[in-house]
Amino acid sequence: MSHRTITRRDFLKVASAAPLAGALAPVLARPAAPESKVRVVLVRHEAALDPSGAPQAEVIQAMLDDAVRALIGDKDIVKAWKTLIRPDDTVGIKTNVWGKLSTTAEVEQAIKRRVMDAGVPEDRLSVDDRGVLRNPVFQKATALINARPARTHQWSGMGSCIKNYIMFTPQPSAWHGDTCADLAGIWNLPEVKGKTRLNVLVMLSPLFHMIGTQQYNKDFTWAYKGLIVSRDPVAADATGLRILEARRREHFQDDGLLKPTPHHIQLADTRHHLGVSDPARIELVKLGWSEGLLI
Amino acid sequence: MKKVVVLAAALAWIGGSVLMSQPTAPGPRLLASYIPVSAGPWLSEADQVFDAGTIFDYIDGAGEVYRSYNMRHLVARRFHKDGRPDIVVDAFDMGSAADAFGVFTHDLDGADAAIGQGSTYKAGLLSFWKDRYFLSVYAEEETAETKRQLLELGRTIAAAIPGAGEKPGLLKLLPEEGLEAGRVRFFHNHSVLNYHYFVAAADILRLAQTADAVLADYRESGGRSRLLVVSYADPPAAAKAGASFAGAYMPDARQGAGMSTGNRKWTAFRVRGRFVAVVFDAASEEGARARLDAVERLIDGDERGE
């Protein structure tokens, strides 16, 4: 081992500053926070889901538009998207089809519509998850949009934007070591490196706890009715993680920490330099419905 | 899907003992035979069979938990009834009773359902182990009816599994005084150790999926301490692991002595033969040392065959 490992004792030494084992990794590994911040937009709408929990397409479109406007800083939504996507791009929208909690067709369609508004014809645009390596559009993609729901995960701690690219690897299990510590390494593969223009972490009805082999129980989801949007997947995930932990604290009346620790999010920052995980370096823009915000 | 359900209904009506889409390999076939084809008004669909190489097709990366316990096969059988939540039985052949017990201890939350050789029920999920098998019986939504059905299904499966298995022998090295019997975990690698109690990012105890380890909670004045006992292949392996742990975790302490770990609690470890024992979060140095003494006596007694 080339460097000293982080142990429980390290956490205990700084426990009064930050009691989270996972969240401590950047504190331990990095000196003072740099000056620049990355922007993350959290947008929520009370009507994003109907009473049965079904996403409402028009509301979702409006939420995504508001988030992208705020992220880019342009009131014209098409102009804003044109700063993300060029008309000559070939665009893969990496979704997530997990049956119990998917990205949702409404989010996929909202993204697709704006990519086309930016000038990309439909034949140079594809939405896919498990078939990305065989999909001709993804094989030629010059730009990727990454969209998936936030949920707890029995091995990686949290399934979110960083983890969503595991289907770009021919053998996903090769990235499972140390409970998926180095997932961010996937983002250096030629299929994806430097191509991601936008990350959408779907927080419509996040899963904040899991039990059993099936990993899902509706009782452990809640209607948060939000989207987290950022160019930085690590900042998006770190923000989503704070919300999941806050919900867990509220529900379980404990420290709210995920098990296993989703340390791949911090390591994506401190080890792989994919993005920013430290909340102090994230400019969080909050839009819309504020009830039960949790952050 | 409807055709499958109709076929299942017909088979259930014919005799209830014939399986549709029966697994062909002997191990999964035997395991499948323990699961009934119907559960009250719910009728089963085609079985799915997975092994350690294919389990990711079923439960993605979460399959690593079961692989870490050396799973052999999984037979997944879904039960459907129109208008009711589906019920899913995930039946694992873990290859040994020790690993069936171990994977059961991965999640001990819930109420004892008195099924098999150990069970928990919570929020629409019944988990239990018996012999070398681990069972997860899950309802997609918990209702009074699904809860009743899950428990009945679990009792039926447990009754169909003949015999019983032995818990890991390593549990005999846990001193009884203060032990919280419902909070004992058995495992083989540091990721699972860290899931239950974070020790270090790296595998400083050299568990490496080859060691057997037990982590137990103990009641302490003012809190809870943990005792970790690891069994290695031979004494040199244990000595290396002890040295690795000492170097990474408490380089400034000598073996057997306690060390205050910054939270006003004490950690101490000891190497004995092919075993390493570590006490975490003891209320006092003396308490940590006394627990290690007790483990040592149990090791010595075990080796004398007592």
Side-chain angles (χ1 to χ4, degrees):
Chain A
M1 199 175 304
S2 60
H3 56 273
R4 193 178 73 83
T5 188
I6 295 169
T7 73
R8 186 178 200 87
R9 291 191 64 200
D10 296 313
F11 298 143
L12 294 170
K13 284 172 191 166
V14 289
S16 59
L20 315 184
L24 267 168
V27 177
L28 292 165
R30 193 177 52 221
E35 54 296 329
S36 62
K37 288 190 174 189
V38 300
R39 183 174 291 182
V40 171
V41 181
L42 167 62
V43 60
R44 298 175 71 222
H45 198 297
E46 194 171 8
L49 303 174
D50 75 6
S52 74
Q56 300 303 291
E58 286 184 15
V59 180
I60 301 289
Q61 183 74 65
M63 289 167 67
L64 181 68
D65 289 352
D66 288 347
V68 171
R69 282 190 196 99
L71 183 71
I72 304 301
D74 195 322
K75 287 181 182 174
D76 184 323
I77 189 60
V78 175
K79 277 189 185 170
W81 271 91
K82 282 184 173 174
T83 68
L84 297 170
I85 299 291
R86 296 186 310 268
D88 61 348
D89 272 326
T90 298
V91 181
I93 299 172
K94 173 62 178 71
T95 189
N96 194 287
V97 297
W98 194 54
K100 301 174 183 84
L101 193 66
S102 70
T103 300
T104 76
E106 290 77 8
V107 172
E108 291 171 0
Q109 286 305 312
I111 295 168
K112 188 175 173 183
R113 177 178 171 186
R114 292 308 180 210
V115 171
M116 292 175 73
D117 286 347
V120 177
E122 194 158 14
D123 64 350
R124 277 196 278 113
L125 169 61
S126 182
V127 182
D128 205 340
D129 178 8
R130 295 174 185 179
V132 288
L133 286 178
R134 300 182 302 277
N135 185 313
V137 171
F138 276 82
Q139 286 169 344
K140 294 177 201 157
T142 55
L144 296 172
I145 307 289
N146 180 25
R148 66 153 293 158
R151 66 175 175 103
T152 52
H153 191 277
Q154 209 168 26
W155 194 248
S156 66
M158 183 176 177
S160 44
C161 289
I162 299 167
K163 188 173 185 298
N164 203 36
Y165 278 6
I166 201 163
M167 297 316 296
F168 283 103
T169 68
Q171 191 190 352
S173 61
W175 297 87
H176 289 170
D178 188 17
T179 55
C180 298
D182 293 306
L183 281 176
I186 294 167
W187 289 63
N188 275 325
L189 297 176
E191 290 84 355
V192 297
K193 187 172 184 178
K195 294 182 181 177
T196 303
R197 308 290 173 80
L198 192 69
N199 300 277
V200 180
L201 185 59
V202 179
M203 301 285 291
L204 295 173
S205 50
L207 179 69
F208 65 90
H209 183 61
M210 77 227 140
I211 55 173
T213 49
Q214 299 295 318
Q215 299 188 81
Y216 182 82
N217 185 309
K218 198 177 175 187
D219 292 344
F220 297 128
T221 66
W222 86 110
Y224 187 69
K225 303 177 182 179
L227 300 174
I228 290 173
V229 177
S230 181
R231 288 172 136 164
D232 181 333
V234 184
D237 286 5
T239 305
L241 172 61
R242 289 171 65 197
I243 296 169
L244 289 194
E245 288 180 339
R247 177 64 180 137
R248 288 171 60 86
R249 280 194 293 276
E250 190 178 73
H251 184 87
F252 295 115
Q253 299 291 304
D254 63 10
D255 59 17
L257 300 183
L258 293 178
K259 284 173 43 172
T261 58
H263 50 287
H264 68 273
I265 298 173
Q266 283 76 31
L267 292 172
D269 177 348
T270 57
R271 183 180 291 171
H272 295 278
H273 314 295
L274 176 64
V276 170
S277 65
D278 182 354
R281 294 177 58 210
I282 295 172
E283 177 201 3
L284 180 59
V285 179
K286 303 170 195 172
L287 303 175
W289 189 44
S290 61
E291 189 180 322
L293 191 62
L294 296 175
I295 190 166
Chain B
M1 189 67 77
K2 272 188 179 172
K3 280 183 185 172
V4 174
V5 174
V6 169
L7 177 59
L11 291 170
W13 183 77
I14 288 167
S17 60
V18 182
L19 287 169
M20 1 89 54
S21 301
Q22 206 169 37
T24 50
R29 189 183 171 98
L30 177 65
L31 180 53
S33 74
Y34 300 143
I35 313 169
V37 293
S38 63
W42 279 263
L43 300 174
S44 57
E45 300 178 354
D47 285 346
Q48 293 178 278
V49 179
F50 304 93
D51 60 24
T54 60
I55 190 171
F56 302 123
D57 297 339
Y58 184 56
I59 50 173
D60 66 46
E64 291 290 6
V65 173
Y66 305 92
R67 285 162 53 97
S68 81
Y69 287 98
N70 306 306
M71 68 162 284
R72 304 288 173 86
H73 309 289
L74 160 63
V75 173
R77 185 175 296 178
R78 179 173 287 267
F79 294 80
H80 178 77
K81 166 71 179 166
D82 284 347
R84 315 264 176 94
D86 279 6
I87 291 172
V88 181
V89 173
D90 291 322
F92 291 82
D93 180 346
M94 303 304 299
S96 72
D99 279 332
F101 168 81
V103 76
F104 169 73
T105 65
H106 192 69
D107 181 2
L108 291 169
D109 289 343
D112 184 358
I115 291 173
Q117 291 185 255
S119 61
T120 61
Y121 178 86
K122 58 180 174 291
L125 174 69
L126 168 69
S127 302
F128 70 92
W129 75 284
K130 187 176 182 191
D131 196 9
R132 65 175 197 262
Y133 304 107
F134 170 72
L135 277 294
S136 162
V137 187
Y138 161 84
E140 292 202 329
E141 187 182 335
E142 185 187 37
T143 66
E145 186 185 26
T146 57
K147 180 176 181 181
R148 197 167 50 246
Q149 203 59 61
L150 293 189
L151 295 174
E152 182 55 36
L153 195 49
R155 280 190 282 267
T156 302
I157 296 167
I161 298 171
E166 290 285 320
K167 287 183 182 176
L170 198 55
L171 271 63
K172 294 175 184 163
L173 303 185
L174 299 175
E176 285 182 11
E177 190 182 346
L179 175 66
E180 295 190 52
R183 298 181 63 88
V184 174
R185 329 271 184 171
F186 176 76
F187 49 90
H188 305 289
N189 74 41
H190 87 288
S191 294
V192 178
L193 169 61
N194 283 344
Y195 179 87
H196 298 303
Y197 184 82
F198 181 85
V199 173
D203 184 14
I204 62 175
L205 278 153
R206 301 170 70 98
L207 301 181
Q209 193 60 39
T210 55
D212 291 343
V214 62
L215 177 71
D217 289 4
Y218 281 79
R219 289 181 299 277
E220 289 265 344
S221 55
R224 175 179 280 160
S225 65
R226 272 90 179 178
L227 171 62
L228 175 70
V229 183
V230 187
S231 168
Y232 296 90
D234 49 41
K240 273 188 186 173
S244 165
F245 175 77
Y249 200 89
M250 39 200 302
D252 30 5
R254 61 188 167 76
Q255 191 189 144
M259 161 152 283
S260 179
T261 43
N263 57 348
R264 297 183 182 173
K265 297 196 172 179
W266 292 80
T267 294
F269 82 101
R270 199 168 295 173
V271 179
R272 181 76 170 182
R274 61 189 175 90
F275 301 98
V276 171
V278 188
V279 173
F280 296 100
D281 293 341
S284 67
E285 184 176 13
E286 296 72 27
R289 201 178 296 166
R291 182 140 297 132
L292 291 177
D293 289 344
V295 173
E296 210 162 14
R297 285 194 294 275
L298 288 166
I299 291 171
D300 293 346
D302 191 56
E303 288 183 347
R304 288 196 301 268
E306 290 173 4

